[in-house]
Amino acid sequence: MTKVYSLLLVIFIILSVIAVHHFPVASSKQWCIANSTETDAELLLNIYLGCEHKFVNCKPIYPGGSCFDPDTLISHASFVMNAFFQLHNRTKEYCGYNNTGIITSTDPSYGSCVYYVS
């Protein structure tokens, strides 16, 4: 009887290892968005740092861009912060200047506005 349990345990372990390596984990994708409690000044600083220094492509948040609407600081900052976060391999330290961002596993994309994910 113990041989059967041992065999079943070995089979379970082998199948578990196979499953872990072949099925993607739902939380493997991460995005960075602006914290809704941040001030306008903090949000503007994130946009400035990402766009003016040309770290990220900010064309989508400019008038006519796919992420211009809604034309709000939090929406534009979230887009820029996420692009910067993705550029730096989703490293927590790069999710918003001065800890102004929140990491989420929920895709913040909407309509034709696509938030990049690496």
Side-chain angles (χ1 to χ4, degrees):
M1 193 68 140
T2 53
K3 287 185 178 184
V4 171
Y5 286 123
S6 296
L7 180 61
L8 287 175
L9 179 62
V10 168
I11 291 171
F12 174 76
I13 291 171
I14 291 171
L15 290 175
S16 296
V17 169
I18 291 170
V20 165
H21 291 291
H22 286 19
F23 295 113
V25 178
S27 64
S28 65
K29 292 184 179 180
Q30 294 180 324
W31 293 264
C32 172
I33 57 172
N35 188 334
S36 62
T37 62
E38 295 305 326
T39 65
D40 287 354
E42 292 285 352
L43 297 174
L44 280 168
L45 182 59
N46 277 283
I47 294 170
Y48 172 78
L49 291 173
C51 297
E52 294 302 316
H53 293 287
K54 311 267 190 260
F55 291 124
V56 299
N57 176 12
C58 293
K59 287 182 182 179
I61 65 168
Y62 294 153
S66 60
C67 299
F68 179 71
D69 289 319
D71 184 11
T72 62
L73 285 176
I74 194 160
S75 178
H76 293 180
S78 290
F79 182 85
V80 172
M81 291 163 69
N82 180 65
F84 194 74
F85 176 67
Q86 300 299 329
L87 181 67
H88 291 91
N89 300 313
R90 298 183 320 224
T91 304
K92 183 180 177 184
E93 291 77 24
Y94 292 99
C95 181
Y97 176 75
N98 204 21
N99 297 315
T100 52
I102 298 170
I103 297 172
T104 181
S105 58
T106 302
D107 186 352
S109 300
Y110 57 92
S112 62
C113 178
V114 177
Y115 279 59
Y116 308 116
V117 66
S118 56

